[in-house]
Amino acid sequence: SKFTVGDYLAERLAQIGIHHHFVVPGDYNLILLDKLQAHPDLKEVGCANELNCSLAAEGYARANGVSACVVTFSVGAISAFNGTGSAYSENLPLILISGSPNTNDAGQHHILHHTLGHTDYNYQYEMAKKITCCAVQIPRAVEAPRLIDRALRHALLARKPCYIEIPTNLSGAACVRPGPISAVTEPVLSDKGALDAAAKCAAEYLAGKLKPVILVGPKLKRAGAEKELLQLAEAMGCAVAVQPAAKGMFPEDHKQFVGIFWGQVSTGAADSIVHWADALICVGTVFNDYSTVGWTAMPDIPLMAADIDHVTYPGAHFSRVRLPEFLARLATTVTFNDSTMIEYNRLRPDPQNVHIAAPEEELTRKETSRQIQAMLDSNTTLFVETGDSWFNGIQLTLPPGAQFEIEMQWGHIGWSIPAAFGYAMRWPERRTIIMIGDGSFQVTAQEVSQMVRYNLPITIILMNNRGYTIEVEIHDGSYNKIKNWDYALLIQAFNGTDGHAKGVVANTAGELADAIRDANEYKLGPTLIECTIDQDDCSKELITWGHYVAAANARPPKGRNE
Ligand SMILES: C/C(NCc1cnc(C)nc1N)=C(/S)[C@H](O)COP(=O)(O)OP(=O)(O)O
Ligand SMILES: [Mg+2]
């Protein structure tokens, strides 16, 4: 049979390492879906809607490194833009693919369904340009190879999403077979001179410094530089603090781990040791309003900052220095200096004895956290949703091998349900656990039905505090109240393999312990455990953090727009 544009795209997706592609069908993409389905190395995964489809692809990219989301024109793609924005802000190469109108329609001035009702169909492509690193429209089959390869290569090199728009009558059009995939995937290595100069500048920056600390940020993993960071950390012997969005990117059982640096809501004594430092080596860090607690926790010493593909110092910048190579080079040139670890061991807080609730005690947030801590092991991946779950999750300690996923830059409530689903499709043998609030759950609950459909034993710990508690702490109002659902009953409506998926309510410590034990054994699909807690039972960190974030939001307008 003839080789087509759809076959070309399918082959390229498989060649860059995609094993599953997430879809919602529509008449603009059906022929394309047939071609993708026909590829032996691609497994089509249907989603309930395009917001969840794009968020599932975002989660898949966290597990797999790259992902694909295939939607129909306009009504589909515009919802998928939200997960694409998440991938952009979280530095994940999500390939957004949209079907589009037949190439003859524009010239015939046809008004088409799903469109805005006029004859310029380019609005979607124009919008996609803003939220991707490369957007292409395939105008003719002959241009498909060049444009598809360009978009894929840009996404892989930039760790950002790209956009490919394919007219419904081109997916089945004849196309040449692809050339070597190395043309798309071959990485861009560091410029030799820049790498040498950057390493030399590091030596100058660190010379004479007595108290260096390494601060790890979320771009470390996106740059694939975790191993090299470990080499550098051990070559220096210094304290290693981790930003909240980077939790899990440095082993928490490592003797140089000093906790999560998050200003006044840090864990351990991370903020003390970071403020004690006279040199801060920032690796993949992102200082935004949330990670700096409303700008109250910006380090105030001159920083050295190593990003995905450049390094900056006070008074110097080096482009095209790739993070893994830079850290590996530094590991061979730095001088050992463990002064901040020696000091940290003087500051290290003593482990608190956590109250163990009696089985009949009403369930609290603290008891729920204590029981989740006991669930974590080397095979666990913990997803924490925007909400107090951020704070409760970040306070947990990750045992060796445990993974952690958080979406702190985009912060879309409900992300964790589809994202964990996408993640688990890639790693079904891992134990995926989600900590999520009631408000977030209501945004994307449909995707639990996909966990049932694909028999993924994901455990959903739903913290039901009756509303939007983060927003209450930042600024309360009637809008923070929501309609309560019978969450356990909803899950049973998703018709699990063995007649029903598991949904249970835990009102006491004992009921939670029983539910977790059952969840550990139930492998045929997801278990949702609704933990009922008081609506003001939130973490002290949330209250402190919310206070400063609200203050940052409230800064009065300056100057002539007063
Ligand atoms: C409404 C909103 N944020 C605003 C918001 C609104 N819409 C989207 C898509 N994303 C957002 N972050 C937030 S954090 C709620 O407190 C979440 O409530 P819930 O899931 O119930 O968690 P907590 O009770 O722990 O806060
Ligand atoms: Mg809530």
Side-chain angles (χ1 to χ4, degrees), residues 214-218 220 229 240-244 246 249-250 281-285:
I214 292 174
L215 179 59
V216 180
L220 177 82
L229 171 80
V240 180
V242 176
Q243 288 193 302
M249 298 186 186
F250 186 81
I281 301 176
C282 297
V283 181
T285 45

Side-chain angles (χ1 to χ4, degrees), residues 181 440 481:
I181 187 60
S440 298
K481 293 281 163 262

Side-chain angles (χ1 to χ4, degrees), residues 428-465:
E429 71 291 342
R430 277 195 77 82
R431 180 83 195 288
T432 301
I433 299 171
I434 303 170
M435 287 174 79
I436 184 169
D438 53 324
S440 298
F441 184 77
Q442 292 196 359
V443 177
T444 55
Q446 309 92 327
E447 241 46 33
V448 176
S449 65
Q450 308 303 340
M451 298 174 189
V452 173
R453 183 188 200 182
Y454 293 99
N455 299 110
L456 296 169
I458 293 171
T459 303
I460 302 163
I461 311 274
L462 189 148
M463 306 297 284
N464 188 356
N465 55 17

